[in-house]
Amino acid sequence: MKFMKFSKMFYLGLIVIVCFVSPFNFFVSPYNVSAQEGLSLYNSNSNNNLNLMDQLSDQAPISQNLLVDSIERVNDHPIILVHGLVGWGRDEFLGFRYWGGLVDIEEDLKNYGYETYTAAVGPFSSNWDRACELYAQIKGGTVDYGEAHSKEHGHEQYGRTYSGFLPEWGEINPDTGIQNKVHLVGHSLGGQTIRVLTQLLEQGNEQERELTDPDQLSPLFNNEQTSWVSSVLTISSPHDGSTTTRFIDGFFPMTKDIIALAASLSGKKTDNNFYDFKLDQWGLKREPGESWENYAERVYNSSIWSDTKDTAEWDVSPEGASELNSWVLAQPDTYYFSVSSEQTYPSIWTGYHKPELFMNPIFYLTGGFLGKYTESGEYDIDRDWWKNDGVVNTNSMDGPTLDSPDEIINYKGVAEIGKWNYLGEFSSTDHIDIIGIGLYEVRDWYRSIADLLGSLQ
């Protein structure tokens, strides 16, 4: 049962594990080229390159200003990239980037003139825990998960200590007189995480303030960190959850095989940092000299997969997303943007959505399941949920709607603060194409996103 619970969540993101290593050997892509050829394609200026910007759907109004370089830059706030479920840091997976795959989106944005950092938070942790980790990584200091939260869920209150990307975050720049803010960009689960962080910065947490001695209270919970986030931009995020969580139980043996593949790449070596579960708060820190294989086995056998909702599995379910939406709200002094993706088509016979031919084959099973799943009950899952990108239902990506008062509007060239500005939908683009783990050229699109964020007053 424990392994099944672990596998359920692990598979939600770890169906992409084959993609982590395949560029070096057997990239699972409709274009099926070698890693060297892939690098050549990415670095080429040929007009034959696939360009992700060209995949933007015409179904929703999208300002063409987003895709041109004529936007005036009016702020220099750094960009923080936040990964989704199963994501990893820059020093993991043999240098294969979560943001870019064979290329490096962070480095490209820096070269383009935007200060950019890549966060590495718990790949299976709850959005609360991930938000606390993200705060410490940006500001610097020791992760404080909150006394009330930690006692409620039965894990340690304190985590790792970080020097901080931006220790001056939130302070007034003495040279400009402007507050030091950031732009938060999150993919998949990362979109929920950056929403939680923004909520906590603006409103804090009343339960933490009531239980914790004021001298010991983390600044994250004291509701005094207002206007620290200029913008939140989410990419293919499950704001209303994903029905993939209904799919996994019968497929845990497959997950075990996939995890074994990952373990075999690291084996019993003790001097590598192949992958870090970042579950220190649960007593699951990798010990000095411990092989990744043994480390992973301890994680698999942990009771956390069956004894708590304080994990990503709950947050990405419709029920968990609804619970999160009820208290994580769009803040009035922050810009919110969302982008969605899809790679399915409706059957002319049944209306069910099926994976398109060029969807990454690793997503065929989940894409087909999401494309026909229905459910009646507390949440009615109907045909509106069928379009998907292989991992997340497309109708969940434009912004929170389940038990949420947030307003979602189509972006028409001028962003409205405190509302969700929906940028549109990428057609024929699966869940990891959009972060560059595929053969689409994504760097130009991320530059255009940086230009959009840099244009915000």
Side-chain angles (χ1 to χ4, degrees):
M1 181 63 180
K2 291 178 184 177
F3 190 81
M4 181 176 293
K5 290 288 288 184
F6 173 82
S7 301
K8 183 173 181 180
M9 181 162 55
F10 205 69
Y11 189 76
L12 293 180
L14 256 183
I15 46 179
V16 303
I17 189 71
V18 175
C19 302
F20 299 169
V21 297
S22 55
F24 303 106
N25 298 296
F26 55 93
F27 194 88
V28 186
S29 158
Y31 313 103
N32 229 358
V33 299
S34 69
Q36 190 60 43
E37 290 171 324
L39 283 169
S40 176
L41 278 172
Y42 270 117
N43 293 322
S44 169
N45 291 319
S46 168
N47 290 330
N48 293 327
N49 279 4
L50 292 167
N51 194 312
L52 192 58
M53 290 191 295
D54 294 336
Q55 299 299 314
L56 271 172
S57 167
D58 294 329
Q59 295 175 10
I62 303 171
S63 168
Q64 292 305 303
N65 288 335
L66 179 62
L67 304 178
V68 297
D69 56 5
S70 60
I71 302 178
E72 179 184 3
R73 185 171 180 181
V74 297
N75 73 72
D76 294 315
H77 304 319
I79 296 171
I80 311 295
L81 303 174
V82 183
H83 64 73
L85 186 69
V86 186
W88 60 97
R90 293 176 61 79
D91 59 347
E92 299 173 66
F93 265 106
L94 311 178
F96 183 63
R97 306 299 187 197
Y98 182 92
W99 294 94
L102 294 173
V103 297
D104 191 334
I105 291 174
E106 177 191 306
E107 194 62 29
D108 185 71
L109 290 179
K110 287 180 178 178
N111 293 336
Y112 189 55
Y114 288 87
E115 186 178 1
T116 307
Y117 301 91
T118 300
V121 292
F124 304 104
S125 297
S126 66
N127 282 301
W128 176 287
D129 287 1
R130 285 163 55 96
C132 296
E133 293 162 4
L134 181 58
Y135 173 77
Q137 285 187 33
I138 300 173
K139 182 67 174 174
T142 299
V143 177
D144 185 343
Y145 298 107
E147 183 177 355
H149 176 85
S150 301
K151 287 182 176 178
E152 178 183 356
H153 296 286
H155 65 60
E156 295 295 323
Q157 179 178 348
Y158 298 103
R160 301 182 185 183
T161 299
Y162 298 93
S163 58
F165 299 144
L166 303 162
E168 68 280 8
W169 182 31
E171 300 172 6
I172 301 299
N173 187 317
D175 296 327
T176 65
I178 298 174
Q179 185 179 27
N180 295 315
K181 301 186 180 187
V182 295
H183 299 295
L184 300 176
V185 177
H187 172 248
S188 194
L189 181 69
Q192 289 182 309
T193 301
I194 61 179
R195 287 172 52 208
V196 172
L197 175 58
T198 305
Q199 171 73 29
L200 290 175
L201 286 168
E202 291 283 341
Q203 305 297 330
N205 182 264
E206 184 176 357
Q207 188 178 12
E208 294 296 342
R209 292 194 294 271
E210 290 177 351
L211 183 65
T212 311
D213 185 300
D215 293 335
Q216 302 298 319
L217 182 67
S218 166
L220 183 59
F221 307 129
N222 67 12
N223 77 343
E224 296 177 3
Q225 324 306 314
T226 57
S227 301
W228 284 29
V229 177
S230 175
S231 70
V232 164
L233 190 148
T234 67
I235 303 170
S236 306
S237 294
H239 296 296
D240 287 337
S242 171
T243 54
T244 314
T245 53
R246 306 313 204 240
F247 165 74
I248 306 304
D249 282 339
F251 286 84
F252 72 91
M254 182 189 304
T255 306
K256 189 173 183 178
D257 292 338
I258 294 172
I259 297 170
L261 170 63
S264 70
L265 297 175
S266 179
K268 298 185 178 300
K269 296 179 181 178
T270 60
D271 59 349
N272 62 46
N273 189 30
F274 178 68
Y275 189 77
D276 185 353
F277 289 101
K278 304 177 186 71
L279 291 168
D280 302 20
Q281 71 271 35
W282 296 101
L284 295 171
K285 183 177 181 179
R286 187 176 179 184
E287 301 297 335
E290 183 179 22
S291 70
W292 190 87
E293 187 177 35
N294 290 338
Y295 170 49
E297 185 176 356
R298 287 198 296 114
V299 173
Y300 302 157
N301 292 328
S302 170
S303 63
I304 67 171
W305 312 115
S306 57
D307 292 350
T308 181
K309 288 183 177 179
D310 192 31
T311 61
E313 179 187 3
W314 171 252
D315 286 347
V316 299
S317 68
E319 295 81 7
S322 173
E323 181 180 281
L324 185 141
N325 293 345
S326 68
W327 68 274
V328 178
L329 311 178
Q331 298 303 308
D333 57 354
T334 298
Y335 291 96
Y336 289 80
F337 299 93
S338 60
V339 177
S340 63
S341 54
E342 66 82 26
Q343 200 167 21
T344 58
Y345 69 95
S347 167
I348 61 174
W349 306 109
T350 64
Y352 295 153
H353 274 250
K354 297 183 178 182
E356 292 180 5
L357 178 62
F358 289 155
M359 177 182 281
N360 194 311
I362 199 70
F363 297 137
Y364 280 178
L365 286 173
T366 48
F369 175 85
L370 285 128
K372 63 182 180 181
Y373 181 79
T374 59
E375 175 183 312
S376 297
E378 183 178 2
Y379 305 103
D380 290 327
I381 309 298
D382 55 22
R383 62 188 308 115
D384 291 340
W385 289 71
W386 289 350
K387 183 191 292 188
N388 67 87
D389 67 359
V391 177
V392 177
N393 314 78
T394 303
N395 76 331
S396 186
M397 300 177 187
D398 58 350
T401 62
L402 292 180
D403 294 323
S404 173
D406 288 3
E407 183 178 355
I408 303 170
I409 61 174
N410 288 321
Y411 175 71
K412 298 180 180 180
V414 178
E416 294 191 37
I417 199 166
K419 299 179 182 179
W420 284 93
N421 297 268
Y422 179 51
L423 301 178
E425 176 185 287
F426 283 105
S427 61
S428 299
T429 303
D430 69 36
H431 197 64
I432 57 176
D433 279 335
I434 203 165
I435 54 171
I437 303 182
L439 291 181
Y440 286 126
E441 169 59 85
V442 299
R443 287 174 291 184
D444 285 346
W445 184 72
Y446 280 94
R447 292 172 192 167
S448 74
I449 286 296
D451 286 337
L452 171 66
L453 302 183
S455 73
L456 299 175
Q457 296 291 337

